[in-house]
Amino acid sequence: MARNSAEEAQAEAQEEYTKDGSMDLKGNPVLRSKSGGWTACSFIVAFEIFERMASYGISSNLVIFLTNKLHQDIITSANNVTNWVGTIWLTPIIGAYIADAHLGRYKTLIAASAVYLSVMIYKPIVLEQIQMNTFSQEFGCVCKGMCLLIVAVSVPSLKPTSCGQNHPDCNEKASPLQLGVFFSALYILAIGTGGTKPNIAIMGADQFDEFDPKERAQKLSYFNWWMFSIFFGTFFATTIVVYIQENVGWTLGYALPTMGLVIAVVIFLIGTPLYRHRPPSGSPFTKMAKVLVAAAIKWRSKVPYDPKELYELDSEEYASNRKYKINHTQTLRILDKAAVKTGPTSPWMLCPVTQVEETKQMLRMIPILIATFVPSIMVAQGNTLFVKQGTTLNRSIGPHFKIPPACLQAFITVSMLFSIVIYDRWLVPSLRKWTKNPRGITLLQRLGIGIVTHIIMMTIASLTEHYRLRAVKAHGLESGGEVPITIFILLPQFVLLGVSDALIDVARTEFFYDQAPETMKSLGTSYSYTSLGIGNFLSTFLLSTVSHITKKKGHKGWILSNLNQARLDYYYAFFTILNLLNFFVFLVLARLYVYKTENTEQKKDNVAVEKSTQFNEDGIEQDDAEKQD
C-alpha cells in the first residue's frame, strides 16, 4: 500500500510538469502552474510592442527623410528603403539557425538585443572625424547618450545643406560620409533584428503546452493576439513618432524608438523566471543536407514497398532525448532513398525516417513561400509609394494642422486591429461550427482571401491615382504643387492594406510555424520573414525595371520624382494584374499542398514510452533494494 501511494504521488507530481519537452534555463523540467501560459507571454508581447514601435518608428517615415533631408530622388529613396527593409527580413534566417542549432531562442534573443543596442554610444568615434566646432551645446548633449542613427540625423555636418522645398534645385546631395554614417546605423539595426524577429514569436508559442487541453486551445489564438501587439506598437510609431519627426525634429523622433527598444529589452528580462525553453537540437541545414546528399548518392536504390523496412531509430531513443518520432508519408518519396538500408551507415549515407520527414516538411513549404512573394511586394509598395503619394495632396485639418503623410499608415494599423478582433472573436467561432476546423478555415484559405483583398486594393489604388491625375491636369499642376484633393482619398487603399495584412501576416506566420517540424520551428518561422525580405528586394527590382522600360523611346516614364507627371495609375494597374496571376498560381499550389500530419498523438506515445521506461527502471531498482533488504 505504501509503495502504491508513493507511485501515485510520483505520478501526480509528474502530471504537474509540462509534457512537451520544455524546460527552464538550467535544463530542468518546469511546472506548468509556475511557468508559461499567457502570464509569460505578456512579457514577450510587451517586448514585441516596444520593439515594433522602434523599428517602424524608423521605417515608416524613412522615405520622407531620404527625399527631404538627404535629397535623394523618389526612385533612389524608395529603393533604399525597400533594400534596407528587405535586409531586415532576411537576416532572421541567420538568427533562426543560431537559435535552433546552438544557443536556443532565449540566449539568441539576448545576444541579438545586445547587437541591436550596440549602436548606443557615449562618444562615437565618427564624431572625432568631423568638425566639432559646428556642434551646438544641444547636439553635444545628444551625442553623449544616443545611438549612431540619432547622431546621423542630429549633427549638422552629417546632413547636406538645404534650400528648402521651394528651391529643390539648389539642395546639396548627401556626401559619401553622410550616407555612410546613416546607412551604417540602419544596417547594424538590421543585424540585431535578425536574432529577435524569428525567435520572439516562436518563444511565445513555446509557452503553451500542447498536451494540456486548455493551453492547446489558447495556442490557436496566440498568433492573432501576437500580431495584435505588433500592430499596437506600429500604431504608436505611425502616429506619435511620425508626427514628432516631421513637426518637432528628427533627433527626438529617432530618440523615442531608441528608448522604446531599451524598454523592450528590460521588460523581456523581467519575465525570465517565467519562461519555458526548448533546447537547441542541432543545425537544421546540416540535417537537411544529409538527407539530400544521401538521397542523391543512392538515387538508383529502390524504395521498399513497406515503409517499416526503412531505417528508423527506436522510440525509446527519441523519448530519452526528448525528441519526437515522425511517421513515414508518401510525399516526396524520392527522399526516402536516404533511409534505404544499402550497407554504409554513415550519417551522410543513411538517415532515419524522422529526419527524412523533417526535410520533407521544410521542402513542401517552399512553393507556398514563393507564392507569398507578390503579397510581400504589395506591403513594400504601400509603405513607400502610398506614403509619397500623400505628399501631393491637401493634408490640412483645420487652419493650423497638417497631417504627415506617413500617419496614414496608422489606418493600416487600425484596420488590422479591428480585423484581427473581428476575425478571432466573431468569424472563427461562427466558421468553426460550419467547417469543424478549430481555426475556422485553413491557414491557406485565410492566406488566399488576403491575396484577393490585395487585388481589390490595387484596383482601387489605380482608380484613385487616375482621379488624382485628372485633377492635376484640370488645375494645371503638371510642374508640381499641391493637388486640391484631401489626402483622405487614399484612405480606402490604406484600410484594405491593413485588412489584407491581418489575413496574410497572421496566416503566413502561423502556417510556417505550424507546418515546420518541432526541431526546426525557428527556421520554419523565418520563412515568413524571408517572404517579406525577398518581397522588398523584388519591389526594388520592379520599381527600377518599370521606371527604366517606360522611359524608352522618349517617354517620360511611369515613375518620376514629380508624381504629378508620373503615371502611378498604370503602375498600380500592372500590380493588379500581377496579383491576379499570382492568385491563380497560389490556388494550384494550395490545392496540391499536403498538410503535416498532426503529431500530438505521436508525442503522447513518446511521452508514454519515456514514462514507461522510467517506471520500469524505478521498479527494477526498487526490487533490487527490496532484495538487499
Side-chain angles (χ1 to χ4, degrees):
M1 292 294 293
R3 179 177 177 180
N4 292 336
S5 300
E7 290 179 354
E8 291 176 359
Q10 183 181 11
E12 291 177 359
Q14 288 182 348
E15 288 301 321
E16 296 178 0
Y17 290 94
T18 58
K19 298 298 188 296
D20 59 355
S22 57
M23 54 189 64
D24 61 18
L25 276 175
K26 296 181 180 180
N28 301 316
V30 290
L31 291 170
R32 181 182 291 114
S33 60
K34 296 183 179 180
S35 65
W38 283 115
T39 303
C41 268
S42 62
F43 293 94
I44 295 173
V45 167
F47 174 92
E48 193 68 1
I49 290 174
F50 284 99
E51 192 276 335
R52 290 305 174 104
M53 185 271 284
S55 60
Y56 279 97
I58 296 170
S59 63
S60 298
N61 222 13
L62 187 55
V63 68
I64 303 298
F65 181 85
L66 293 177
T67 53
N68 292 352
K69 298 299 181 181
L70 297 186
H71 309 147
Q72 294 184 336
D73 60 76
I74 180 62
I75 296 176
T76 301
S77 59
N79 286 345
N80 279 331
V81 172
T82 52
N83 286 338
W84 175 65
V85 175
T87 303
I88 280 181
W89 294 118
L90 284 182
T91 52
I93 298 177
I94 302 173
Y97 164 76
I98 294 173
D100 282 341
H102 301 290
L103 298 181
R105 294 188 245 286
Y106 178 84
K107 293 180 181 179
T108 303
L109 273 165
I110 298 300
S113 298
V115 175
Y116 217 151
L117 292 171
S118 65
V119 291
M120 298 294 291
I121 53 178
Y122 181 71
K123 290 183 178 179
I125 297 176
V126 70
L127 297 184
E128 299 175 5
Q129 302 176 3
I130 52 183
Q131 296 179 354
M132 299 294 295
N133 57 7
T134 60
F135 301 162
S136 66
Q137 181 65 30
E138 176 185 359
F139 289 125
C141 294
V142 170
C143 295
K144 291 181 180 180
M146 292 300 136
C147 67
L148 185 57
L149 185 62
I150 301 176
V151 173
V153 302
S154 305
V155 178
S157 296
L158 294 180
K159 294 185 294 183
T161 58
S162 176
C163 302
Q165 295 183 358
N166 294 329
H167 304 282
D169 294 336
C170 69
N171 287 334
E172 178 184 317
K173 297 291 184 181
S175 68
L177 173 63
Q178 293 164 343
L179 291 175
V181 172
F182 185 76
F183 283 106
S184 293
L186 288 181
Y187 282 93
I188 288 175
L189 293 177
I191 295 173
T193 59
T196 58
K197 290 188 183 299
N199 292 304
I200 190 67
I202 307 307
M203 190 169 173
D206 288 344
Q207 307 309 307
F208 299 98
D209 185 357
E210 289 192 0
F211 295 102
D212 182 75
K214 181 180 179 181
E215 291 192 9
R216 181 175 172 80
Q218 292 173 339
K219 191 173 183 177
L220 293 176
S221 296
Y222 163 72
F223 281 99
N224 285 327
W225 294 105
W226 172 74
M227 194 64 69
F228 185 94
S229 69
I230 290 177
F231 299 153
F232 191 82
T234 305
F235 177 77
F236 183 84
T238 54
T239 52
I240 306 299
V241 174
V242 165
Y243 178 81
I244 291 174
Q245 286 172 348
E246 291 202 18
N247 295 276
V248 179
W250 292 94
T251 301
L252 181 59
Y254 279 153
L256 285 177
T258 302
M259 295 305 299
L261 181 60
V262 174
I263 295 173
V265 174
V266 171
I267 290 175
F268 179 76
L269 291 175
I270 292 175
T272 297
L274 299 173
Y275 298 145
R276 299 173 185 172
H277 305 275
R278 298 291 181 90
S281 54
S283 170
F285 297 116
T286 303
K287 289 181 180 179
M288 292 188 290
K290 288 178 179 178
V291 173
L292 297 176
V293 170
I297 292 175
K298 297 187 290 187
W299 66 277
R300 290 185 177 181
S301 301
K302 291 184 178 180
V303 179
Y305 180 78
D306 186 359
K308 293 182 180 179
E309 297 181 17
L310 296 172
Y311 173 67
E312 179 59 297
L313 303 177
D314 294 334
S315 298
E316 289 82 1
E317 187 168 345
Y318 284 110
S320 62
N321 293 320
R322 304 185 73 87
K323 295 181 180 179
Y324 304 117
K325 183 178 178 180
I326 304 177
N327 293 331
H328 176 265
T329 63
Q330 296 298 322
T331 60
L332 296 175
R333 292 203 66 196
I334 190 173
L335 296 181
D336 291 342
K337 296 177 184 292
V340 175
K341 304 173 184 177
T342 59
T345 59
S346 165
W348 292 91
M349 287 291 293
L350 184 63
C351 303
V353 170
T354 293
Q355 185 175 335
V356 173
E357 291 301 321
E358 288 175 338
T359 305
K360 287 182 181 181
Q361 290 171 7
M362 296 302 296
L363 294 180
R364 280 204 305 262
M365 295 189 292
I366 291 179
I368 301 298
L369 169 65
I370 295 173
T372 62
F373 289 166
V374 172
S376 297
I377 295 174
M378 298 304 100
V379 175
Q381 295 293 326
N383 289 332
T384 53
L385 290 182
F386 283 6
V387 173
K388 190 62 181 176
Q389 196 177 358
T391 62
T392 66
L393 299 171
N394 179 15
R395 299 183 284 128
S396 299
I397 301 179
H400 304 295
F401 181 77
K402 279 194 172 185
I403 181 172
C407 279
L408 283 183
Q409 294 177 89
F411 290 102
I412 299 178
T413 308
V414 171
S415 62
M416 284 177 177
L417 297 176
F418 278 103
S419 298
I420 287 177
V421 173
I422 293 172
Y423 184 86
D424 188 75
R425 293 302 182 188
W426 182 65
L427 284 178
V428 169
S430 301
L431 292 171
R432 189 183 293 147
K433 296 178 182 178
W434 179 48
T435 64
K436 308 303 180 183
N437 187 317
R439 292 186 173 92
I441 57 177
T442 67
L443 295 172
L444 291 181
Q445 287 173 340
R446 182 174 181 176
L447 195 57
I449 295 173
I451 294 176
V452 172
T453 308
H454 271 167
I455 297 173
I456 300 172
M457 176 194 71
M458 295 312 297
T459 302
I460 292 177
S462 179
L463 294 175
T464 301
E465 177 63 10
H466 184 73
Y467 174 76
R468 189 189 72 85
L469 290 176
R470 288 178 58 187
V472 167
K473 187 175 181 180
H475 292 85
L477 298 172
E478 289 86 350
S479 59
E482 183 180 279
V483 183
I485 299 177
T486 176
I487 192 174
F488 291 107
I489 195 174
L490 303 178
L491 200 57
Q493 61 202 61
F494 277 96
V495 170
L496 284 174
L497 183 58
V499 174
S500 62
D501 284 354
L503 293 167
I504 292 175
D505 282 0
V506 178
R508 179 174 51 203
T509 303
E510 187 172 359
F511 173 81
F512 290 127
Y513 168 82
D514 183 74
Q515 295 299 297
E518 293 294 329
T519 59
M520 302 180 185
K521 290 295 186 183
S522 292
L523 181 62
T525 307
S526 72
Y527 275 19
S528 177
Y529 303 121
T530 301
S531 170
L532 291 169
I534 294 179
N536 275 272
F537 285 118
L538 288 176
S539 174
T540 298
F541 170 77
L542 288 175
L543 188 66
S544 300
T545 302
V546 171
S547 175
H548 175 71
I549 292 175
T550 55
K551 286 180 180 179
K552 289 183 176 181
K553 298 181 180 180
H555 296 288
K556 290 184 177 179
W558 290 0
I559 306 165
L560 304 171
S561 294
N562 182 0
L563 294 186
N564 288 352
Q565 294 181 353
R567 294 311 305 253
L568 287 183
D569 53 341
Y570 293 166
Y571 189 55
Y572 293 157
F574 162 72
F575 275 122
T576 302
I577 298 172
L578 183 62
N579 274 282
L580 187 61
L581 295 175
N582 182 70
F583 175 68
F584 291 126
V585 173
F586 174 80
L587 284 180
V588 175
L589 295 176
R591 183 76 175 177
L592 296 175
Y593 185 78
V594 179
Y595 279 90
K596 181 182 73 173
T597 303
E598 181 60 50
N599 60 357
T600 302
E601 294 301 323
Q602 297 173 26
K603 293 180 183 179
K604 289 181 179 179
D605 292 341
N606 281 11
V607 173
V609 170
E610 182 181 3
K611 291 171 64 178
S612 175
T613 303
Q614 179 180 354
F615 286 137
N616 286 338
E617 292 175 352
D618 291 342
I620 292 173
E621 291 175 358
Q622 289 173 357
D623 289 341
D624 291 340
E626 291 174 354
K627 289 179 180 179
Q628 292 176 0
D629 291 339

